[in-house]
Amino acid sequence: MSNLTKKFKDMTDTQLLLTITIVVFFLMYIGAIVFQGKGFLKPQTFFNILNANAALIILSCGMSVVMITGGIDISVGGVTALVSMCAAVYLDFKGGNVAVSMLIAIGIGLAYGIVQGLLVAYLDIQPFIVSLAGMFFARGMTTIVNTNPFNVQNESFQALKNARIIVPGMGSVNKKGVYVNAYVEIGVIVAIVIVILMFCLLKWTKLGRNFYAVGGNKQSALMLGINVKRTKFMSHLICSLLAGIGGYVYFLHVGSGAATHAQGAEMNAIASSIIGGTMLTGGVGNIIGTFFGVLSLSTIQNIVSSAGLDQAWWTGITIAAMLCIFLVIQSVVMARKKRAVKK
Amino acid sequence: MNQAANKKKPIVLSKIYKNQIFIPLAAMFILLLFNLIADPGFFKISMGLNSAGNPVLSGYLMTVLDNGSELAILAIGMTLVTAASGGQDISVGAAIAIAGSTLLRVLCGTNTRPDTLRTPIFVAFLISMLVAMAFGAFNGALVAIFKIQPMVATLILYTAGRSIAAWINNNELPIISDPKFAYYGGFIPGIPIPTPFFIAAAMVVLITLILKFTNLGLYTQAVGINESSSRLNGLNPVFIKWLTFVILGACVAVAALIKVSRLSSINYSVIAKDIEMDAILAVALGGNALSGGKFNMAASVIGAFVIQMLTTTLFKFKVPSDALPAYKAVVVILLVVFSAPVVREKLGKLTKHFGIQRKEAV
C-alpha cells in the first residue's frame, strides 16, 4: 500500500490525470457490457462510436493544445458549422470539386486561427471573449451564407462519404448468419493520423514543449527565452486549423450543411479535454488522454440513449454532470497532491 | 488625418478616459446619429391601440425601452459577477429558460392549458426566483470554492440548462390564458409605457440603494482587484464571489418573468437565446474591465439599452435574426480591441505624440 502511495506521489500531474481517465473509460465500457447486454461486445459498436465522433476527436485535439497553453477556444463548433455550410454550398450550388472544398475548409480554419491568434496573443485580449465573438460570428455567417439546411448531392462527394474502410478480423455474424465486416469511415483514419501527429508534436518538438512551458508558467517561460506571444499564437492557429479539418470530417459524416450543425460541439470538445486530464489552468494535458476523453464521453452518450432515456435533454444533462464531476475531481486531486508535496 | 481633428482629439480622449459613463453615451450618440441620417423614422413615437384595446405608445424607441429592460436587469447582476470574479456567467440564457419553466410549472401544474392559475403569480415568481438563485449558487460554488474559471464553470449550466428547463415541464409548452399574467411583459391597462421598463427601473433603484447603504460594491471591487489582499484585510472572498452569483440568479428570475410573460408561454430552445452575449457586451460597453475590479453600474445599464438600440437598428434594416450574432460579434471584437491595454497604450502614445507636435508648432 505504501508503495502505491509513493507511486501516486511520484506521478506527474499529466500521468495521474491520464490514469484516472483511462481507468474510468474501461470501467464505463465494462459497465456498459454488463448492464446493456451484448450490443457493446460487438466491435462494430465501438467503431460506430469512432465513426460518429471522428470530428470531435479532431476538435478536441485542437482544444487540448489551446488549453495546455492556458487559453480556451469556444469557436470550434461555430467553425464546424461554417465549414460544413461553405463546403456544401460550394459543392452543390457552385458545382465545385471535392479537393477545392477541402481547401476551403482549411482556409476558413487558418483565417480563424490567424485572427483569433493575433487578438489573443498580440493584443492580450481574453481568449474566452475573442472566441465567444468568433463563435457568434461563425454561427451568424453560416446563416448569411445559406439559411436553409440541405443535403449535398454531389456525386464524387457522396462516393467519398460512403467509402468504408474494412477493419480485418473484427467482423461479426449478424442475425441472418451472414458474416459482416467491421468498418470505419475515412474520417476516423484522418482523426487517428491527427492524434498521432499531435501526440508527436506535443511530446518531441520544441513548439510542443513551449506549449507546456507557457501554460505552466508564463513568467518563467518568458525568462527561459521562449517567445510567449508566438507560442500562444501558434496554439490558436493549430486549434482553428484543426477545427477547419474537423469541420470537414463532420461534414463528411453528415453530408449536409445547416446552421444548427455541431451545436454544443465546443462544449463537448472542452469536456473531452477536461475528462482526458487537460487542466483548465494550463500546463497539464495529454493527447492520448483527450482521445480517451472523447471515447468516455461518447460511450456515456451511447449508454444513455440505449438505456431508453432517448429524450434529447438527457444527453445534455449527463455530459454536464460528468464534466462537473471531473472538474471537481481535478480540483480536489490537485489540492491534495499539493498538500502531499508540501509534507 | 487633418489638422482640426488632431487638435480636438486629445481633449475628447482624456475626457472619455476620465469618466467611464462617456463610453456608452458616446456609443449611443453615434447610433442615434446614424439613425437620424439613415432614416429619421426611427424616432417616431405614435399612440395606438394594442390587441387588448388599450392605448399604448409604439415606435422603435419604445421597442428599445421595452426589450432593453431585461437586458438591463441582467447587466446589473453580470456587472457584479464580472467585478468580483473577473469572469462572466454565460449561462444566463439557459438559467432564464429554467426559471421561466419553473414559473409556468408552478402556475399550471400538470395541466398545460389551465383556465385558472393554480397559485398566485407572486408566489410562483418567488419559487422561480428561489430556483434561479439555487442555480446561481451552484455556479458560484464551482467558481468560488472549486476555483474553476467562471466561464468554464458556467458552461456546464449553459449546456444542461435548456435540457433541464424542458425536463421541468415534461417538454410540454404550457400556455397561460389569464390576461393578468401578460401585464408583466406587456402593458398594464391605462398606462401607455411598457411594464418591463418600470420593472427595470425598480431594479436599478433597488441596486442603487443596496450599493449606497451596504458595502457590497466596495467588497466586490476589492475582491476583484486583489483577492489575496482583500482576504488579508478581513474580507471573505469566497463568500463574496458566491454572493454575486446568487444576486445574478435573482436578476435572472426577474428577467425570466418578463420573458415568459411576453409570450404567456415558453419555447425552451429559443427563449433568451444569445442573451448572455448581449449581457456581457453591455458590461463591456459600459467601460467595465472584463477582468474584474472596478465597476460602474449606471454605465452598464446604459450599455444594455445601447445594445438593444443596436439590435433594433439592425432589425430595422431587415437583418434576419439568425444573422444578427455575426454583426454583434464584429462590434464586440472592435470594442475589445479598442479597450485592450496594448492598443490603449499605443493610442495614448499617438495622442501624446500629436500633443508634442502641437507644442513644437506653437
Side-chain angles (χ1 to χ4, degrees), chain A residues 72 119 122-126 128-130 132-133 135-137 139-141 143-144 147 266-267 270 274 280-281 312-314 316-317 320 323-324 327-328 331-332, chain B residues 86 88 90 138 142 146 148-149 151-152 155-156 158-160 163-164 166-167 171 274 277 280 290-291 322-323 325-327 329-330 332-333 336-337 340 342-343:
Chain A
I72 200 159
L119 290 177
Y122 292 98
L123 293 186
D124 247 345
I125 304 170
Q126 284 183 34
F128 207 105
I129 297 290
V130 171
L132 188 72
M135 170 172 110
F136 281 96
F137 184 74
R139 292 263 174 225
M141 273 317 277
T143 27
I144 291 174
T147 318
E266 57 278 345
M267 170 68 182
I270 293 171
I274 290 174
L280 276 169
T281 40
W313 63 70
W314 279 109
I317 292 178
L323 178 68
C324 182
L327 276 173
V328 172
S331 151
V332 171
Chain B
Q88 286 76 34
I90 60 164
F138 168 73
L142 286 179
F146 292 104
I148 300 167
Q149 291 165 22
M151 293 197 191
V152 180
L155 202 60
I156 294 173
Y158 174 79
T159 358
S163 303
I164 295 173
W167 173 66
N171 213 9
D274 301 343
M277 176 83 158
I280 296 170
L290 288 177
S291 47
D322 287 336
Y327 294 89
V330 173
V332 179
I333 288 295
V336 288
V337 163
V342 183
V343 179

Side-chain angles (χ1 to χ4, degrees), chain B residues 63-331:
Chain B
T63 315
V64 173
L65 275 191
D66 190 1
N67 291 318
S69 301
E70 53 254 51
L71 204 54
I73 294 168
L74 286 179
I76 292 173
M78 192 67 88
T79 310
L80 287 175
V81 165
T82 304
S85 65
Q88 286 76 34
D89 184 340
I90 60 164
S91 69
V92 285
I96 285 180
I98 295 177
S101 187
T102 314
L103 188 68
L104 288 180
R105 173 79 194 190
V106 175
L107 284 176
C108 301
T110 45
N111 180 9
T112 54
R113 301 281 182 280
D115 296 322
T116 51
L117 299 178
R118 277 201 339 165
T119 42
I121 294 169
F122 186 67
V123 175
F125 169 65
L126 279 187
I127 293 173
S128 82
M129 184 178 257
L130 278 182
V131 170
M133 282 163 85
F135 278 101
F138 168 73
N139 280 338
L142 286 179
V143 172
I145 299 169
F146 292 104
K147 307 258 182 292
I148 300 167
Q149 291 165 22
M151 293 197 191
V152 180
T154 51
L155 202 60
I156 294 173
L157 197 57
Y158 174 79
T159 358
R162 289 176 194 278
S163 303
I164 295 173
W167 173 66
I168 289 174
N169 262 318
N170 282 325
N171 213 9
E172 280 165 8
L173 308 172
I175 296 172
I176 290 177
S177 45
D178 192 339
K180 275 204 191 82
F181 185 66
Y183 289 171
Y184 299 95
F187 295 88
I188 296 172
I191 301 172
I193 296 169
T195 325
F197 179 68
F198 292 115
I199 300 178
M203 288 295 284
V204 170
V205 169
L206 186 68
I207 198 71
T208 316
L209 290 178
I210 290 176
L211 289 179
K212 198 164 172 66
F213 292 108
T214 68
N215 287 330
L216 182 73
L218 181 68
Y219 285 2
T220 46
Q221 297 188 33
V223 170
I225 291 167
N226 192 333
E227 194 179 330
S228 27
S229 65
S230 69
R231 192 169 46 82
L232 292 177
N233 277 308
L235 299 185
N236 184 351
V238 172
F239 175 71
I240 288 168
K241 273 191 193 175
W242 181 80
L243 187 66
T244 57
F245 276 92
V246 176
I247 293 174
L248 178 60
C251 295
V252 160
V254 177
L257 173 70
I258 298 175
K259 278 274 181 205
V260 174
S261 166
R262 274 188 211 286
L263 294 174
S264 288
S265 179
I266 194 167
N267 184 340
Y268 305 110
S269 52
V270 176
I271 185 174
K273 196 164 175 276
D274 301 343
I275 205 169
E276 49 277 344
M277 176 83 158
D278 283 354
I280 296 170
L281 200 52
V283 176
L285 194 62
N288 301 299
L290 288 177
S291 47
K294 290 200 136 202
F295 70 87
N296 185 335
M297 194 58 85
S300 288
V301 172
I302 296 173
F305 283 105
V306 175
I307 298 298
Q308 187 56 45
M309 199 178 274
L310 175 69
T311 313
T312 311
T313 309
L314 286 173
F315 268 132
K316 187 165 164 287
F317 287 97
K318 303 273 187 297
V319 173
S321 65
D322 287 336
L324 215 56
Y327 294 89
K328 277 192 196 158
V330 173
V331 178

